[in-house]
Amino acid sequence: ASHGFPFCFVAPITFSIQLEKVTSTKIQFSWKPKGGTRDSPYRVRLWGGSGEMENRSLNETSTAFENLLSDNEYQISVDVSTCSKNVSTSLTVQTAAEVFNGTTRITNEVYIPEYQNRSSTAFKDFETKFIEEV
């Protein structure tokens, strides 16, 4: 019998990446392997504009990349060797834009002053319409 070539009657492993949580600085995801057996840990990589940024070797099926830039496009990939073949899947993810807390000031003059006065008919119409829609 020849060594080094495992008999592979099983179908090759397949898996898809599931995003768990994406914020402005973090991408958390997992993957679910189906069928097949793997001969190696999962190799999980993160690419950004400047090329490969992280390369991890994992036995678990979830991880998170942190300290990322907001509103940026990243590519995550997971690959594993199974039956001496390499199976890989990847996903492009956009981190969220930074949200600034602040007050919204309406500067243009189109704002109807009657909205300020809660007993005005303009406000009442608006309120009624809003309640009907909800």
Side-chain angles (χ1 to χ4, degrees):
S2 66
H3 297 291
F5 285 108
F7 283 111
C8 275
F9 296 121
V10 254
I13 201 166
T14 57
F15 50 93
S16 57
I17 295 177
Q18 209 68 51
L19 290 174
E20 309 275 333
K21 187 177 189 193
V22 178
T23 66
S24 55
T25 57
K26 176 178 177 178
I27 299 172
Q28 187 180 324
F29 59 101
S30 63
W31 52 97
K32 300 206 167 31
K34 287 201 268 298
T37 46
R38 59 189 176 94
D39 314 333
S40 71
Y42 294 103
R43 194 161 77 239
V44 184
R45 287 181 288 186
L46 172 74
W47 278 280
S50 51
E52 191 177 299
M53 295 166 65
E54 291 227 32
N55 191 330
R56 299 179 183 170
S57 187
L58 301 172
N59 281 311
E60 60 266 31
T61 58
S62 66
T63 193
F65 289 119
E66 301 192 52
N67 306 317
L68 305 175
L69 296 171
S70 63
D71 201 17
N72 222 28
E73 202 170 86
Y74 291 96
Q75 191 178 28
I76 51 180
S77 76
V78 180
D79 55 280
V80 70
S81 80
T82 168
C83 299
S84 45
K85 273 198 199 74
N86 194 51
V87 180
S88 169
T89 185
S90 67
L91 196 60
T92 301
V93 185
Q94 177 100 11
T95 49
E98 204 74 70
V99 178
F100 295 104
N101 290 329
T103 51
T104 309
R105 303 242 313 274
I106 299 171
T107 47
N108 56 1
E109 296 304 306
V110 188
Y111 177 74
I112 307 176
E114 277 88 30
Y115 282 167
Q116 205 68 47
N117 174 4
R118 287 171 166 271
S119 58
S120 72
T121 50
F123 185 87
K124 284 236 166 60
D125 294 349
F126 172 76
E127 197 178 33
T128 317
K129 183 165 181 289
F130 180 75
I131 291 165
E132 277 170 9
E133 282 175 7
V134 174

